[in-house]
């Protein structure tokens, strides 16, 4: 083994070895996941809902409509952004959805997806909630709306 790899291995063992040997790996997992979900609820309230409402209001100004629903059928925080396009049946599935997955590795993750005509497409995943900024939320939402419009314009 070369010296560089040996040094890195020693650093890794010093950094993580103590935690593994103490048996605390995963002991605080429920608390961490609860904190993750609480933080995600704050992100929903502070960033995602206002961003989606502003985008929905822009769509409404063009004659479309939208509906936001919270925690639909979930045990974890979620947000559904229903896009109701003018000229498209009301029961059409045009949905942008974000939800927390507490059973993910680590603290949890947020999955963003778009559902058009019963075809589900994953947009992205967030393990670090700090990455969900207004700019990121806006861009993700506008990209998903473009997909929704394109699929319905066929």
């Amino acid at each position: 083994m070369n010296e560089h790899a040996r040094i890195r291995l020693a650093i890794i063992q010093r950094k993580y070895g103590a935690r593994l040997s103490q048996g605390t790996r995963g002991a605080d997992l429920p608390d961490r996941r609860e904190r993750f979900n609480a933080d995600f609820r704050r992100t929903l309230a502070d960033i995602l809902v206002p961003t989606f409402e502003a985008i929905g209001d822009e769509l409404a100004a063009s004659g479309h409509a939208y509906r936001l629903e919270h925690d639909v059928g979930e045990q974890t925080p979620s947000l559904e952004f229903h896009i109701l396009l003018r000229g498209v049946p009301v029961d059409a599935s045009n949905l942008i959805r974000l939800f927390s997955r507490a059973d993910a590795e680590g603290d949890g993750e947020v999955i963003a997806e778009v559902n058009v005509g019963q075809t589900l497409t994953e947009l992205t995943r967030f393990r670090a909630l700090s990455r969900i900024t207004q700019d990121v939320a806006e861009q993700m939402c506008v990209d998903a709306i473009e997909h929704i419009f394109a699929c319905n314009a066929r």
Side-chain angles (χ1 to χ4, degrees):
M1 175 183 274
N2 72 38
E3 190 61 22
H4 178 73
R6 189 180 318 278
I7 292 170
R8 284 197 59 218
L9 190 55
I11 291 169
I12 290 168
Q13 290 182 71
R14 272 195 310 270
K15 185 174 183 178
Y16 300 107
R19 284 186 256 174
L20 292 173
S21 65
Q22 293 172 359
T24 59
R25 184 176 171 236
D28 65 342
L29 196 55
D31 290 339
R32 289 181 13 225
R33 287 183 176 163
E34 287 174 20
R35 282 193 305 273
F36 183 87
N37 281 338
D39 291 344
F40 180 46
R41 285 190 191 285
R42 280 190 292 281
T43 301
L44 284 169
D46 296 345
I47 297 171
L48 292 163
V49 169
T51 300
F52 286 13
E53 284 176 340
I55 291 170
D57 291 344
E58 284 293 317
L59 291 171
S62 299
H64 305 289
Y66 72 96
R67 183 176 74 247
L68 287 174
E69 295 180 0
H70 299 269
D71 302 338
V72 178
E74 299 290 334
Q75 297 295 322
T76 60
S78 68
L79 180 65
E80 291 187 354
F81 184 24
H82 297 266
I83 309 298
L84 308 169
L85 299 176
R86 184 182 61 235
V88 174
V90 177
D91 62 347
S93 177
N94 294 310
L95 170 69
I96 301 167
R97 182 172 182 251
L98 288 98
F99 60 95
S100 171
R101 233 186 94 217
D103 61 340
E105 258 184 58
D107 298 343
E109 68 183 342
V110 171
I111 299 173
E113 58 190 24
V114 61
N115 188 340
V116 181
Q118 304 306 319
T119 301
L120 190 65
T121 304
E122 186 174 303
L123 297 169
T124 191
R125 292 177 182 231
F126 298 97
R127 289 217 170 152
L129 295 175
S130 61
R131 294 182 182 246
I132 305 175
T133 63
Q134 181 183 354
D135 289 339
V136 168
E138 194 172 276
Q139 185 63 50
M140 177 186 63
C141 186
V142 170
D143 288 346
I145 288 172
E146 180 179 18
H147 179 73
I148 290 169
F149 269 80
C151 289
N152 281 280
R154 293 180 185 171

